[in-house]
Amino acid sequence: METYLPYQDSLTICRALAAVLLPLLAFAVNFFMPAKWCKVTGWVSTLAILFSCILSVMVFNGVWNHLPVHWQIRWFVIGGSKIYAGILLNNLSALMLLLVSVIALPVHIYSTAYMKHDERYNRYFTYLSFFCFSMLALVVADNLVLLYAFWELVGFSSYLLIGFWFTRQNAIMANKKAFIMNRIGDVGLLIAILILFSQYRTFDMVQLFGSEGFVTQSQIVDGNWLGPIRSMPAVWQYIAFGGILLGVAAKSAQFPLHTWLPDAMEGPTSVSALIHAATMVAAGVFLLGRVYPMFTSVELDILAAVGCFTAFMAATIALTQNDLKRILAYSTISQLGYMVMAMGIGAYASSLFHLVTHAFFKCLLFLVAGIVIHQVQHIKEDNDLDIDPQNILNMGGLRKKLPLTFIAALIGSLALIGLPLTSGYLSKDGILIQAFDWSDDKSIWFKLIPYGAIATTWLTAFYVARLMVKVFFGKFKLEQFHPNIKYHISDGGLQYKAPLVFLAAASLFPLFSLNPVLYEQAWLYTAFTPANYLDRVNIYHTIIPIGVNILSVFVMYWAYSVYFKRNSWSFPQTGFLFRLSYNQWYIDKIYLRFIVEPFMALTRGASIFDLKVIDGFIHLLTRIVIAISKLAAWFDHNIIDGATRLLTFMVESIGNFVRGFQRGKIQYYLFSMLAIVLALFILKILI
């Protein structure tokens, strides 16, 4: 039946629904916008997301730390099961609704300038609005089927945006790769949803994962998955977990389905900022938050291990990359690994906290990268240079030429490293401390996880410092390589500067906590954490932040010495470890060698079989049928039609003969009668 709500809750639901549908309205308007008004589409989309942002703030104020608001109507019926669909607004969904719209707004404003000269400007904003609608709908859906539908739409719209410049072969290959790898994860998620429905006979996430939901009433006993409605073999619960993990690994770029995300940099940089910050890649972590009560302790340990390994692996790869956006892409994979690891170790609040802080400083860094790449691209075009505008080896010395961009990049980088006075320090601090707390009663192998997380922090400090030095310090490499080039570069207009200033301010600590060093006092952390978990009960809370950050500063200075002063020992550029990092752990090559090439060989074999055997058999049948038809045609023409023609001739001849006796002349009649009489007389005599 339909849910009836008090007026205030109904108003909140209406605001949330409007916040979700406004980008869809912008998509429809832009889709039908006449070509001569194409430049209007940017502001249509921007105004839509602005009002969505305002409405999201209202929804957040009405829901945060209050009772959840849940509205639904009957959708359809399967057998005896009535399926309901609606909107669920609790702390998690209200937070994500606000985050997506708040991050999307500066990206839209930035895009109006960044994409200004692109010939497909209207198409870009049409796709962008559809992308925002899909993500906003995803976070408020109360039903696993609805969630899956919008999960697919997020993947589809990201496919359109990654391959936006579809005339480039790399962009085509990148969006195909992203689409296919996400389909692998989507199949896993679909299987998990079907298993959950088979066990609990509902798709409603409140009934499933609520504080008194079916999942919390279930347990695994003696190899059986016992639920309040029915029981199944426990293996199905493990398969459901595997399906969810596969979906998360694909959408949030976790090992082994992470390789699509660096290639997704072929899309516009503003798209990269949105995908990497608070939308597509955040969906996997959001899904973990939604279904968190279903995981067993073993499954959480697996999440922790996968997240930690992904974070460490991606950080090692970022050390040696020279493509500016690719470095940030591997940084995103690494930070998502932190979030998944945090979910695995039970640091639910810290994982969501880091999701939010990361959204701001990663979006900031991508917008910075967009400005830098845009300016280098102008230099390339104005001077007809054959260079890669994204290669940091062509940069350097931009600190004085792009002062605001440099300051924004510095703030974003410090937040990414997690140094004090930034939001990244607060959220990462909580993850590291809780990782050591979690490992206290674990075996020695699990103790590798917190140490791996700390090592990843230091690797992050090194590659971020390397990036900053290569891009903003030293001398401008293009001037050294091409002494006669002419250029004039700047931070750009207000549409570039305003998003940078906003995101830089949001990357500092005051937005989340008035205390810059205690993550436990952050309003976002306390909302998801029971009061008894807020005490600083052991020495980890002191020595880990101090030790990690002091060493991070030394690592940053080391990178500065290696790449700027060039008076310090650096890694060899030919060793195994360098090649392992530079070639991205050879994972793409392994996939190519052992999966793609065999699959392509199989498809070629299937094609040959189809052409030679199946088509050959069909062609043989065709020739046989044609031969039979020709024989039938000859038989029909010569035998059937021949017999018919013979009969016709005989009838015609007899008719002509008989007709000769009826010419109307009496003498012929008398002659005929005489001939007949004579014939009869002769026959009589003879007989």
Side-chain angles (χ1 to χ4, degrees), residues 124-323:
Y124 170 83
F125 279 99
T126 302
Y127 291 169
L128 198 63
S129 290
F130 186 69
F131 183 67
C132 290
F133 157 71
S134 302
M135 188 63 199
L136 289 169
L138 170 68
V139 300
V140 300
D142 76 328
N143 177 291
L144 286 175
V145 175
L146 275 180
L147 181 142
Y148 185 78
F150 291 118
W151 181 276
E152 289 290 333
L153 287 180
V154 168
F156 172 68
S157 51
S158 67
Y159 166 84
L160 296 176
L161 288 168
I162 292 168
F164 177 75
W165 286 315
F166 56 85
T167 55
R168 303 177 184 178
Q169 184 63 24
N170 288 343
I172 295 172
M173 298 304 294
N175 71 346
K176 285 182 181 178
K177 187 175 183 179
F179 190 80
I180 291 170
M181 296 196 82
N182 273 277
R183 294 295 72 71
I184 296 171
D186 294 348
V187 169
L189 178 58
L190 179 60
I191 290 171
I193 291 173
L194 294 177
I195 291 173
L196 288 171
F197 180 77
S198 297
Q199 174 72 332
Y200 299 115
R201 290 292 186 266
T202 182
F203 294 113
D204 190 323
M205 287 189 281
V206 174
Q207 291 184 25
L208 288 171
F209 309 111
S211 57
E212 298 180 0
F214 294 153
V215 169
T216 59
Q217 301 174 40
S218 302
Q219 56 183 329
I220 295 176
V221 179
D222 297 329
N224 290 311
W225 183 17
L226 305 180
I229 298 177
R230 57 171 296 184
S231 64
M232 298 172 67
V235 66
W236 289 108
Q237 203 275 346
Y238 305 139
I239 293 174
F241 163 74
I244 290 172
L245 179 59
L246 205 60
V248 171
K251 199 69 88 182
S252 288
Q254 298 296 286
F255 176 84
L257 299 179
H258 65 281
T259 57
W260 68 269
L261 191 57
D263 290 353
M265 298 301 96
E266 293 298 330
T269 306
S270 47
V271 167
S272 302
L274 195 56
I275 289 177
H276 285 248
T279 52
M280 182 174 178
V281 296
V285 180
F286 169 78
L287 176 64
L288 289 179
R290 273 289 198 225
V291 304
Y292 195 72
M294 73 169 285
F295 300 136
T296 66
S297 59
V298 174
E299 292 166 351
L300 290 174
D301 290 345
I302 293 172
L303 281 178
V306 170
C308 181
F309 177 77
T310 303
F312 178 79
M313 175 198 66
T316 61
I317 294 173
L319 291 172
T320 58
Q321 303 304 305
N322 293 319
D323 185 297

Side-chain angles (χ1 to χ4, degrees), residues 497-676:
K497 293 177 179 178
L500 295 189
V501 171
F502 167 73
L503 292 169
S507 299
L508 299 173
F509 74 91
L511 181 63
F512 299 97
S513 174
L514 296 179
N515 190 323
V517 295
L518 297 182
Y519 73 90
E520 298 94 339
Q521 295 186 14
W523 57 267
L524 197 155
Y525 182 81
T526 58
F528 291 104
T529 308
N532 58 324
Y533 282 89
L534 298 177
D535 297 331
R536 301 174 71 85
V537 296
N538 55 45
I539 198 171
Y540 292 143
H541 291 258
T542 302
I543 63 171
I544 290 175
I546 294 174
V548 168
N549 287 288
I550 288 176
L551 195 52
S552 291
V553 172
F554 279 111
V555 170
M556 293 167 61
Y557 182 76
W558 178 28
Y560 176 79
S561 298
V562 169
Y563 296 106
F564 181 69
K565 292 185 176 181
R566 299 192 179 278
N567 59 359
S568 176
W569 174 83
S570 61
F571 294 109
Q573 303 293 295
T574 56
F576 169 74
L577 291 178
F578 174 82
R579 292 196 304 272
L580 183 68
S581 171
Y582 188 77
N583 290 289
Q584 302 155 50
W585 283 43
Y586 297 100
I587 293 174
D588 260 328
K589 294 183 178 180
I590 291 171
Y591 287 164
L592 183 65
R593 176 69 179 84
F594 294 103
I595 297 178
V596 177
E597 289 181 356
F599 182 77
M600 295 303 294
L602 180 64
T603 58
R604 285 192 294 270
S607 177
I608 292 171
F609 182 81
D610 179 59
L611 290 173
K612 301 298 184 182
V613 179
I614 297 178
D615 285 359
F617 179 69
I618 291 173
H619 293 157
L620 176 62
L621 287 177
T622 302
R623 287 193 290 270
I624 292 173
V625 169
I626 290 173
I628 293 173
S629 65
K630 288 181 177 178
L631 179 62
W634 180 88
F635 184 83
D636 179 67
H637 183 268
N638 292 283
I639 305 300
I640 306 297
D641 288 355
T644 303
R645 286 194 297 271
L646 178 61
L647 287 173
T648 303
F649 175 76
M650 292 173 63
V651 170
E652 183 180 4
S653 299
I654 294 171
N656 290 334
F657 176 74
V658 172
R659 189 169 59 246
F661 296 104
Q662 299 180 3
R663 297 182 179 179
K665 294 182 178 182
I666 296 176
Q667 58 268 33
Y668 286 117
Y669 295 156
L670 293 175
F671 175 77
S672 298
M673 292 173 61
L674 179 61
I676 292 170

